[in-house]
Amino acid sequence: MRNTNTNTHANTLRPADGADYRYTRLIGTGGIGSGMLFQLTDEHTLGRNESRLGVLTDSRDYCKLHIICHYPAVLLGRGGFAVYPIGKVGKDAEGFALLAQLEDTGMSIAHVEIAEAVRTLFSVCFQYPDLSGGNLTTANSASGLVAALDIERALQELPPGAGELVLAAPEVPIEARIALLAEGRARGSFTVASVLAAEAETFGRLGGYRLTDLLAVNREEARRIAGLDEACADGGVIAERCYNALKAEQPEIRLIMTDGADGCYSYEAGRCIHTPSLRVEAVSTAGAGDALLGGVISGLCCGLPFMKEQSLGPGAVFGETPLSSAVELGVLLAALSVTSPHSIHPDADARLLGSFANENGLALNDAFRSMLQIKEESEDGV
């Protein structure tokens, strides 16, 4: 599946080298669902037996597979990139609405089944005033019925092809995700995964890390993988210990660890780079980590290197040196995502990303500018 389109659509990312996408297809499994967001008025952490008032917002919340896949679908889809989610929704209004939304962004819904007896995955997100927070997600939803057999059937209808990524995201059973990663490895696909803190040990025991080329986690998930207790608060130490634990199982693994407002740490071939976050006025941080991963996937597809060649050093500011890597595209997209009240930014596309970069005075290297279709002198100001 080679893309022969030079991709001049203004709302789509162009391959960084002006030729073809490095990857032209994404096959993923994970949670497909919706949710609601409560904003808590007090900073103190919820207690075990506590009742708490919160403001029910109008924010639209979505689950992991949908969020991650949305961004490559809208950023690359018109240029010859295909997205195939594998999952299940309930036979309810939420399920049918989500299927319509997936289709509207250009994703195939051929491998998203409608389950008769259970409801669509649903999540309740809560946020503290500082925009940190967590989720409660249904364990008895349609997504919980996704099995290894569903993965096998879907992949039989999607023969192997050059330039393929597979994505194993949480909120479906680990066995199904392992099956996708294993088949992806056998097909020669680039394998991407994320895990929840509570399942980090099980995922490793079942061989998930050995099958993963790129793992994306937050600091709590990284802490669990590294076997560290909560006394360790240094993000750099957590990321390093996590990477060392993973490298012992998969020497070529790449790691991204998000660290909230402090940006993210990325590892490749023993090198670490800390990428600061872009300081913007955040409306909601829900979905930011998933947006970052969606941006990294998009950057890799466009041919950007995973990480910068050189570390920025202590006290660096995002965008002071020219953006050049897939991780930086992910950080840029995550920054844009938090300016929306919804866990998927409804208007994100290449044109908006380019405008957002310009408005924030970010330096971009030539490949990055070409990818965003930014010209030195643009008539429309982008």
Side-chain angles (χ1 to χ4, degrees):
M1 293 180 62
R2 295 292 287 169
N3 170 36
T4 57
N5 189 333
T6 57
N7 190 11
T8 58
H9 195 289
N11 293 337
T12 309
L13 297 178
R14 185 201 307 267
D17 61 2
D20 299 334
Y21 286 138
R22 181 185 300 169
Y23 304 104
T24 55
R25 179 165 71 176
L26 172 62
I27 302 172
T29 194
I32 302 174
S34 60
M36 62 175 63
L37 172 64
F38 280 94
Q39 289 181 336
L40 304 181
T41 56
D42 297 316
E43 288 285 5
H44 72 273
T45 303
L46 279 168
R48 185 178 182 90
N49 297 305
E50 179 184 0
S51 296
R52 179 85 69 87
L53 289 176
V55 176
L56 177 59
T57 72
D58 294 327
S59 299
R60 297 190 296 273
D61 194 20
Y62 301 94
C63 293
K64 282 190 172 291
L65 182 68
H66 189 170
I67 300 173
I68 298 168
C69 288
H70 172 87
Y71 293 106
V74 299
L75 292 174
L76 307 172
R78 296 184 183 90
F81 186 84
V83 181
Y84 299 94
I86 304 172
K88 295 187 179 183
V89 296
K91 192 176 183 180
D92 49 33
E94 292 84 357
F96 290 119
L98 288 165
L99 289 175
Q101 290 174 43
L102 294 175
E103 272 198 309
D104 284 346
T105 55
M107 295 187 225
S108 167
I109 59 170
H111 309 289
V112 182
E113 298 181 18
I114 298 174
E116 296 277 347
V118 291
R119 300 196 61 170
T120 299
L121 181 64
F122 191 81
S123 176
V124 177
C125 177
F126 57 92
Q127 282 189 345
Y128 297 98
D130 68 355
L131 299 184
S132 65
N135 294 277
L136 292 173
T137 305
T138 49
N140 57 338
S141 72
S143 287
L145 299 181
V146 177
L149 183 59
D150 297 308
I151 304 299
E152 180 183 337
R153 284 200 298 259
L155 292 180
Q156 285 175 351
E157 298 176 17
L158 295 167
E164 179 179 274
L165 301 99
V166 300
L167 166 68
E171 299 166 344
V172 301
I174 288 180
E175 291 77 11
R177 289 143 61 188
I178 297 290
L180 179 59
L181 291 171
E183 183 58 29
R185 178 57 54 85
R187 291 156 68 109
S189 310
F190 185 83
T191 58
V192 183
S194 60
V195 297
L196 302 178
E199 63 189 22
E201 182 180 353
T202 303
F203 190 82
R205 187 173 68 250
L206 295 178
Y209 301 127
R210 291 196 298 273
L211 297 169
T212 301
D213 294 316
L214 169 60
L215 181 73
V217 292
N218 62 29
R219 63 180 289 137
E220 181 57 31
E221 293 153 358
R223 193 200 312 271
R224 293 289 188 93
I225 294 169
L228 295 169
D229 59 33
E230 293 185 5
C232 181
D234 187 307
V237 171
I238 295 171
E240 181 180 14
R241 293 283 293 274
C242 176
Y243 177 70
N244 288 337
L246 293 168
K247 191 178 177 184
E249 295 194 46
Q250 213 287 61
E252 297 182 359
I253 198 167
R254 298 169 178 86
L255 172 68
I256 302 169
M257 189 199 86
T258 57
D259 199 17
D262 290 331
C264 71
Y265 294 86
S266 47
Y267 276 86
E268 181 181 34
R271 291 195 310 118
C272 172
I273 285 182
H274 173 250
T275 305
S277 60
L278 177 59
R279 302 300 180 182
V280 296
E281 189 72 29
V283 176
S284 172
T285 59
D290 296 325
L292 189 146
L293 179 55
V296 171
I297 289 171
S298 300
L300 291 174
C301 290
C302 287
L304 292 179
F306 175 60
M307 301 188 332
K308 260 190 177 332
E309 292 184 3
Q310 294 183 341
S311 180
L312 298 177
V317 176
F318 183 76
E320 246 180 2
T321 59
L323 305 189
S324 61
S325 70
V327 168
E328 289 170 306
L329 178 63
V331 172
L332 178 64
L333 183 59
L336 176 63
S337 79
V338 303
T339 64
S340 167
H342 313 298
S343 59
I344 292 177
H345 194 303
D347 301 318
D349 58 22
R351 181 185 290 276
L352 184 58
L353 266 179
S355 298
F356 187 65
N358 276 339
E359 289 166 6
N360 284 277
L362 304 182
L364 313 173
N365 77 351
D366 290 343
F368 215 100
R369 294 182 68 86
S370 174
M371 180 189 65
L372 288 172
Q373 302 192 52
I374 296 176
K375 299 177 181 179
E376 289 298 332
E377 296 182 0
S378 175
E379 293 180 359
D380 58 10
V382 177

